[in-house]
Amino acid sequence: MITVRVGRADDGSVVSLHAEGHAGYAEPGEDIVCAAVTALVVTALIGLKRVAAHPHEGRAGSGKAWCRLLPGGTPESRLKAAAILETTVLGLQDIAKDYKHYVRVTEGG
């Protein structure tokens, strides 16, 4: 199972995502659930860098993908980063709804 932990700031905005595990939906290399989760987190990382240009760190690798906003940036970059991460969470929650035995999204952390 893939477990995704969503971290939020005091204002409720998403500040971190941490996905870990393997879905086990299909064989490695054929697992559409793993691919979907990875694609969403990698796309969030690309958006944070190229669209929001907000300070962040993160990585995606076998069985683990994460990102975390860092202090700094501008109000505009923070707003863009928040929108990117919230949209990513919505996508992850939708996958978890459709594949509840393979993906779980939790808040906190």
Side-chain angles (χ1 to χ4, degrees):
M1 173 172 280
I2 298 172
T3 301
V4 181
R5 289 189 320 272
V6 178
R8 293 188 181 269
D10 290 339
D11 66 1
S13 63
V14 179
V15 294
S16 66
L17 298 172
H18 186 272
E20 191 166 13
H22 291 283
Y25 180 78
E27 293 297 316
E30 311 241 340
D31 196 322
I32 62 170
V33 178
C34 279
V37 170
T38 301
L40 282 173
V41 177
V42 168
T43 299
L45 285 166
I46 292 167
L48 292 173
K49 181 176 183 179
R50 296 186 187 170
V51 176
H54 190 81
H56 67 283
E57 58 185 5
R59 176 162 287 154
S62 180
K64 187 181 254 187
W66 62 278
C67 62
R68 178 172 68 98
L69 297 183
L70 298 173
T74 65
E76 181 182 1
S77 75
R78 178 72 175 98
L79 194 61
K80 287 179 180 180
I84 289 165
L85 291 180
E86 192 65 50
T87 302
T88 302
V89 169
L90 292 172
L92 292 166
Q93 288 171 336
D94 201 49
I95 292 169
K97 183 181 75 174
D98 291 342
Y99 296 93
K100 61 184 171 200
H101 299 292
Y102 304 97
V103 179
R104 177 182 25 221
V105 178
T106 61
E107 298 272 337

